[in-house]
Amino acid sequence: MPYLSAHGHHGDHHTSHFSGGTTYWDSTYGSTTEGTIGGQAHGGNNSMYRGGEYYHGGLNAESVILSYLKEHAATGAMHDSDERFPPPLCRPGTREAVIYRVLDWYGYQKRPGKPIMWVYAPARYGKTAVAGTVSAKLEEKSTELNFNLIGATFFFWRTAPDRNSPARFIITLTYQLFVSIPELAPHIDSVIAQDPMILYKALEVQLMKLIIGPFKALGDTEHMPNRLIIIDGLDECINSDQESRVEKRYAEDRERVQIRVLDLIHTLASHSFPLSFLILSRPEAWIKQHMESRTLKDLVEFVDLYKLGDNMHDVEKLVRGELSRLGVNDEDLVMRLVGHAGGHMLYASTVIDRWPVRLAWTRSRFLSCDGREVSRC
């Protein structure tokens, strides 16, 4: 018997959302179900079909599918995850030029001319804080509008096993899109019901089946609000599962896997779906070359965080505010720290945040350190 959604009929029977089983609805005895998702058995007296929805243990089928996605997603990679709490944010009054450049480019009512924005800068320039602040501002706006402006987020991190590899990338995006765009839910549900093993297939297959297919099933999406997908730290995706101890092989793996993620984004952005993509990373040579390639460059808005805005002014504002909060009013200290930071927000905030209790000792120590040695001062 072919698998149908819980809303479909096949003769006098209603098919379940579980592979390997069918739900038979009986008006007297309720339903009897035998089925599995990913090898987990579901069935027995807790299953029933009511009001056009299939329920198991008090949960409708979409809730079960969502739980199944969650089990395989990198939930710590989401912008509001507990793993990242409190998330890095820009200090008030800093990085305003780039934040508003991003918000001006992204439009939930009118889609931007180019669906991808790449914000790039060297290490310690606060790219993750920019991504977090944009997320926070869109969350606030979402509350006002009563719908989700953020479609999905993924914050790569090289030391987190489920965030330094693309293995859970598509599943994590799918989980969030299932929630943020309710119209997609039944179509994603149907795909997983027919083939629960989709979560173990190639990323390119997952993308086509779990995201592109459900969007196409919606038909005309011209009037749907535009959602933003934020991908931070692409350069932190190092494919740890295949990491080699040989430096050259490791570099090749890292380059290959980061380009693979870009190709996945490119494939999705090539369709006329109501999605925009904000990517933040270091300007690694292979990332830059791929972004500027003939196939991608017409889809990408390039933003150099180092050149946009006044980095030295932002650092000075940060230093003055934080030293004032600590009760320190020392102009020479401010200017010397700003000079050592050289526009690097992370350097300045690390020095100030790390030793506030022993500030007098810090004054005499950090000024002899350069940006590379701050963690050892």
Side-chain angles (χ1 to χ4, degrees):
M1 180 180 294
Y3 288 102
L4 306 176
S5 73
H7 306 282
H9 299 266
H10 190 92
D12 295 327
H13 299 153
H14 297 268
T15 56
S16 78
H17 285 261
F18 306 115
S19 69
T22 301
T23 300
Y24 299 93
W25 180 55
D26 183 287
S27 59
T28 304
Y29 298 104
S31 67
T32 58
T33 306
E34 295 298 336
T36 62
I37 282 190
Q40 299 298 314
H42 296 273
N45 295 330
N46 289 333
S47 302
M48 62 183 300
Y49 188 87
R50 181 178 65 208
E53 296 282 353
Y54 174 78
Y55 288 82
H56 174 77
L59 298 175
N60 67 22
E62 287 185 359
S63 297
V64 175
I65 294 292
L66 191 61
S67 296
Y68 184 51
L69 281 170
K70 181 181 177 182
E71 289 175 7
H72 294 79
T75 55
M78 301 175 193
H79 68 283
D80 53 358
S81 70
D82 185 62
E83 182 176 317
R84 300 186 63 251
F85 187 85
L89 298 174
C90 297
R91 304 297 174 107
T94 65
R95 293 291 187 253
E96 291 182 335
V98 68
I99 291 168
Y100 288 105
R101 173 70 178 276
V102 172
L103 295 176
D104 286 345
W105 159 79
Y106 163 70
Y108 68 90
Q109 293 177 314
K110 183 179 181 181
R111 302 174 196 177
K114 296 183 178 182
I116 300 172
M117 174 177 278
W118 180 36
V119 177
Y120 57 94
R124 302 186 178 185
Y125 269 81
K127 299 180 292 295
T128 296
V130 168
T133 302
V134 169
S135 299
K137 288 186 176 294
L138 291 180
E139 287 279 17
E140 292 177 8
K141 190 67 176 177
S142 295
T143 301
E144 294 178 21
L145 298 173
N146 200 30
F147 72 85
N148 296 306
L149 294 175
I150 300 176
T153 57
F154 199 104
F155 285 71
F156 285 104
W157 189 248
R158 68 177 60 240
T159 60
D162 59 347
R163 294 169 55 194
N164 62 9
S165 161
R168 302 189 181 206
F169 179 62
I170 297 300
I171 297 173
T172 306
L173 297 189
T174 301
Y175 172 85
Q176 294 171 88
L177 291 171
F178 190 107
V179 175
S180 63
I181 307 179
E183 298 92 332
L184 290 176
H187 302 289
I188 296 172
D189 177 296
S190 178
V191 170
I192 298 175
Q194 293 180 48
D195 183 11
M197 290 300 292
I198 186 67
L199 304 192
Y200 299 93
K201 295 186 177 180
L203 298 176
E204 292 74 13
V205 176
Q206 291 179 4
L207 177 65
M208 291 301 298
K209 297 288 187 178
L210 293 172
I211 299 180
I212 293 176
F215 263 111
K216 286 184 175 181
L218 295 179
D220 183 13
T221 59
E222 184 66 29
H223 302 293
M224 288 182 66
N226 192 39
R227 264 74 170 205
L228 183 63
I229 293 179
I230 300 175
I231 298 149
D232 178 65
L234 176 60
D235 54 284
E236 300 277 331
C237 182
I238 59 175
N239 204 28
S240 65
D241 292 340
Q242 300 179 31
E243 184 174 330
S244 170
R245 293 187 179 183
V246 180
E247 186 174 346
K248 183 177 183 298
R249 175 63 182 277
Y250 165 71
E252 291 173 350
D253 284 347
R254 181 180 59 172
E255 177 179 345
R256 176 175 53 82
V257 76
Q258 291 170 14
I259 295 303
R260 187 183 186 190
V261 171
L262 280 179
D263 284 341
L264 291 168
I265 297 168
H266 176 213
T267 299
L268 187 51
S270 298
H271 293 80
S272 299
F273 300 145
L275 297 173
S276 298
F277 304 83
L278 174 63
I279 304 172
L280 303 97
S281 76
R282 299 182 190 182
E284 303 288 14
W286 53 88
I287 296 178
K288 187 173 186 292
Q289 182 179 5
H290 205 64
M291 288 289 196
E292 294 175 346
S293 67
R294 181 173 56 85
T295 56
L296 254 179
K297 65 179 181 180
D298 291 338
L299 300 176
V300 180
E301 184 88 12
F302 295 84
V303 176
D304 186 340
L305 181 56
Y306 180 77
K307 294 181 179 179
L308 183 63
D310 189 339
N311 295 303
M312 296 297 285
H313 179 263
D314 283 348
V315 170
E316 182 178 345
K317 185 179 291 187
L318 165 68
V319 170
R320 289 187 183 280
E322 291 304 297
L323 290 182
S324 176
R325 181 176 61 83
L326 295 171
V328 178
N329 184 17
D330 187 330
E331 185 66 18
D332 182 61
L333 181 62
V334 169
M335 299 315 296
R336 292 174 71 184
L337 177 52
V338 170
H340 274 273
H344 289 74
M345 298 288 284
L346 184 59
Y347 173 89
S349 62
T350 298
V351 170
I352 294 170
D353 291 345
R354 187 162 292 183
W355 306 289
V357 177
R358 302 179 63 188
L359 187 61
W361 179 83
T362 304
R363 287 189 195 179
S364 65
R365 290 285 293 168
F366 79 77
L367 294 177
S368 64
C369 299
D370 62 28
R372 293 173 299 174
E373 298 176 340
V374 63
S375 63
R376 290 180 282 166
C377 294

